[in-house]
Structure formats: structure tokens, C-alpha cells
């Protein structure tokens, strides 16, 4: 398998991603959408999820396609980003037809970034506007790192961020991932230089340093994030939220199986993963534009690899700003980019 042309989730034909962020509040929103509705499902493995409209993505629920997916900062406040995207879609005449009515279907998930040093005393919830801005910014190319939903993200030892990656299977099927990494666990090994996801790296996409020769597979060490956020406060201030996508013609049930398999990517890239204090969630979507009969096993495996790589890329591409509570990977490894 090789990466797609952009090494982004938008290598899946037809998909667009938009980011919007406010660096004063250190938060933002990312939106995945397309010109036509797509099939989607979801699987949650973290103990503290924050979601909207995820129940309808179960394989037995009647809604068969959706219009957009939203990843947002802001904890529960960030769920209002879905409302901004929904209104933007409605203004374009899009949505599920119910008689004469149109109802855009926009599931979403949030991460907690309310204790990252940004100004949070807003007079009005900013996420509805950020959601609309992200939708209108949707394009085939977009920024990684401290952008969109990854703007205020923090991993255990470094700033987190927004990451993406793709793979093309031998039969031509494209698979991609988009993630906002804000976990309890560490994305880097105890030496701060190597990534747990290093065995799956493609084309030096996060520095090409390879696996750490002496890190082992144990605990990554005391969390800088926990220390910076007054210890116990960090227990509820996490989550890795992700979307994996393919152009294969998957059913809703098959999308669910891909979302389950893709969670392995979180386990390969973050130590520890899926804790009681994370809200780890993976959406899986399928556009169905690739005519080859799908190999769900291969697609699920590729989705997990893309997600592991995307998590590392999000941290690797994070940028420093005055007042950050944690260093970026590049600040910890000057000259090793």
C-alpha cells in the first residue's frame, strides 16, 4: 500500500475538509463533507465521550446517509458547531428530505480543551460560528497540527493537534483518516523524540526517526499535561476523536466494523489508550464511488494504519504559540525535524 497523492483523508475522491480556529480561545472545529451524502457509522471506546447524533449511525437505525461530520474542541460547548454546519447545509438546500422539509444530518464529537490557557470567558458560545466557518472553508487541502479541532489539543507530553493520512489498497480502494489528538496518553516515547506509531510511518511523514531503540512498551512516564493542569483536573480533559473514510461501497454495518477496527490505530499510536478519562471515538464513512467489491478486512486494517499515522502527524505538525502549557515536538527536538 502507498499513500494517496496528498496523504490526507481528502485523497478519498469527493471528500472535503474545512478548518476554523480562534487562537485567542485556543480552540477550533474541523468538518468533513462532500457534494453528496455518504454512508457512515461510529464506534466509541473511550470512557468519557461527548457526541451528537451518533445513535442514528447504528446499523439498525433508519437514516442511511449523512451530510457532514464534525470534530470540535470546546467540550459540550463544541457540540454547537454541528448546528452551524447544519444551518450552512440548510441554506444550500441540502439535507434529508422529509416531505417538503429538508433536515441536514450532521453527527459530531468533541474534545476537552477548556483548560489549555486560552481565554474561555466568551459572552456567546463561539462554536456555532466556527462550525459554519469550517464548513465554508472545506477544500481538498487543509492544514495539520494546530488547526481546526486540533488547535488547543494536548497529549500527555506535548501539544496535540490535527492529523491526517491516507493509503491506496492494491485494488485501487482509497482509505484515509482525520484525527484531533488530545489524549490522556503519550504519542511519543519517553525520550520525547520517537513516536509509538513509528513502525507504520510512510515517507518520513513525521520525521523518519524510526522506533525508539530502548523505550520498551511500558508506561511513558509522568504526564506533563497532568502537571500543567493541576493534576486531577486533567482526568476529564482529554479525548481522541477521529474520522476514517473510504471510497468503497460499504454498507452501514460494514462502516461500523471499519470504525471498530480503526480503533487499533489509537492503540498503536497512544500509550495508554481508551482510558476511562478519554472519550475516544471513531466515525467511519464510505462514499461508494469505487466500483470494486470491498474487502472489509483490508479496509479496516488500512484505516487503523492511517489513524495511527495521522495521530503522530498531528503532534509532529503542532506549532508553538505564546502561553502554551506544553511544548511542541519540535521544541523538544530542535534540529531534528
Amino acid at each position: 500500500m502507498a499513500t494517496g497523492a496528498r496523504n490526507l483523508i481528502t485523497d478519498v475522491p469527493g471528500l472535503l475538509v474545512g478548518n476554523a480556529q480562534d487562537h485567542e480561545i485556543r480552540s477550533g472545529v474541523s468538518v468533513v463533507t462532500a457534494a453528496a451524502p455518504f454512508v457512515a457509522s461510529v464506534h466509541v471506546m473511550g470512557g468519557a465521550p461527548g457526541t451528537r447524533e451518533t445513535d442514528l449511525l447504528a446499523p439498525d437505525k433508519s437514516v442511511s446517509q449523512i451530510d457532514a461530520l464534525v470534530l470540535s474542541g470546546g467540550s459540550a460547548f463544541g457540540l454547537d458547531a454541528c448546528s452551524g454546519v447544519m444551518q450552512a447545509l440548510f441554506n444550500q438546500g441540502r439535507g434529508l428530505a422529509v416531505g417538503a422539509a429538508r433536515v441536514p444530518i450532521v453527527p459530531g464529537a468533541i474534545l476537552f480543551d477548556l483548560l489549555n490557557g486560552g481565554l474561555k470567558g466568551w459572552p456567546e458560545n463561539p462554536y456555532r460560528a466556527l462550525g459554519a466557518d469550517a464548513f465554508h472553508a472545506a477544500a481538498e487541502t487543509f492544514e495539520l497540527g494546530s488547526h481546526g479541532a486540533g488547535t488547543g489539543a494536548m497529549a500527555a507530553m506535548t501539544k496535540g493537534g490535527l492529523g491526517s493520512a491516507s493509503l491506496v489498497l492494491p485494488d485501487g480502494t482509497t482509505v484515509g483518516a482525520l484525527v484531533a489528538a488530545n489524549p490522556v496518553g503519550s504519542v511519543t516515547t519517553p525520550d520525547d523524540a520517537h513516536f509509538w506509531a513509528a513502525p507504520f510511518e510512510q515517507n518520513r511523514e513525521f520525521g523518519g526517526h524510526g522506533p525508539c531503540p530502548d523505550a520498551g512498551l511500558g508506561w511513558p512516564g509522568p504526564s506533563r499535561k497532568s502537571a500543567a493542569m493541576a493534576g486531577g483536573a486533567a482526568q476529564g480533559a482529554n479525548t481522541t476523536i477521529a474520522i476514517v473514510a473510504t471510497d468503497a461501497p460499504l454498507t452501514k454495518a460494514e462502516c461500523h466494523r471499519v470504525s471498530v477496527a480503526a480503533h487499533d490505530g489509537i492503540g498503536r499510536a497512544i500509550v495508554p489508550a481508551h482510558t476511562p478519562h478519554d472519550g475516544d471515538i471513531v466515525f467511519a464513512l464510505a462514499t461508494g464511488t469505487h466500483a470494486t467489491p470491498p474487502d472489509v478486512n483490508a479496509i479496516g486494517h488500512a484505516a487503523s494504519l492511517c489513524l495511527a499515522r495521522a495521530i503522530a502527524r498531528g503532534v509532529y505538525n503542532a506549532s508553538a504559540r505564546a502561553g502554551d502549557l506544553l511544548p511542541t515536538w519540535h521544541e523538544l527536538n530542535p534540529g531534528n525535524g
Side-chain angles (χ1 to χ4, degrees), residues 280-305:
D280 296 342
I281 181 170
V282 179
F283 296 96
L285 72 86
T287 63
T289 58
H290 188 66
T292 302
D295 182 341
V296 178
N297 291 341
I299 292 168
H301 176 57
S304 71
L305 299 181

Side-chain angles (χ1 to χ4, degrees), residues 47-118:
T51 61
R52 170 169 158 160
E53 296 274 46
T54 50
D55 283 352
L56 61 79
L57 298 181
D60 65 324
K61 300 304 186 288
S62 60
V63 171
S64 60
Q65 294 183 314
I66 66 172
D67 299 290
L69 285 166
V70 174
L71 305 179
S72 179
S75 187
F77 295 102
L79 293 175
D80 206 30
C82 298
S83 297
V85 176
M86 187 176 180
Q87 185 65 51
L89 285 159
F90 180 78
N91 291 345
Q92 295 182 358
R94 296 178 58 183
L96 176 68
V98 185
R102 287 277 177 178
V103 183
I105 307 299
V106 184
I110 50 87
L111 57 79
F112 188 102
D113 57 7
L114 299 180
L115 299 175
N116 62 4

Side-chain angles (χ1 to χ4, degrees), residues 5 14 35 40 87 107 112 147 152 173 198 240 255 268 272 274 292 309:
Q87 185 65 51
F112 188 102
H147 296 271
T173 300
T240 296
C255 279
R268 289 166 173 153
H274 303 133
T292 302
R309 293 163 44 222

Side-chain angles (χ1 to χ4, degrees), residues 22 44 53 63 118 126 139 166 202 211 227 239 244 297 318:
D22 183 328
V44 179
E53 296 274 46
V63 171
S166 70
Q202 297 279 328
T239 294
V244 296
N297 291 341

Side-chain angles (χ1 to χ4, degrees), residues 36-47:
F38 44 80
V39 178
S41 192
V42 68
H43 187 63
V44 179
M45 289 190 69

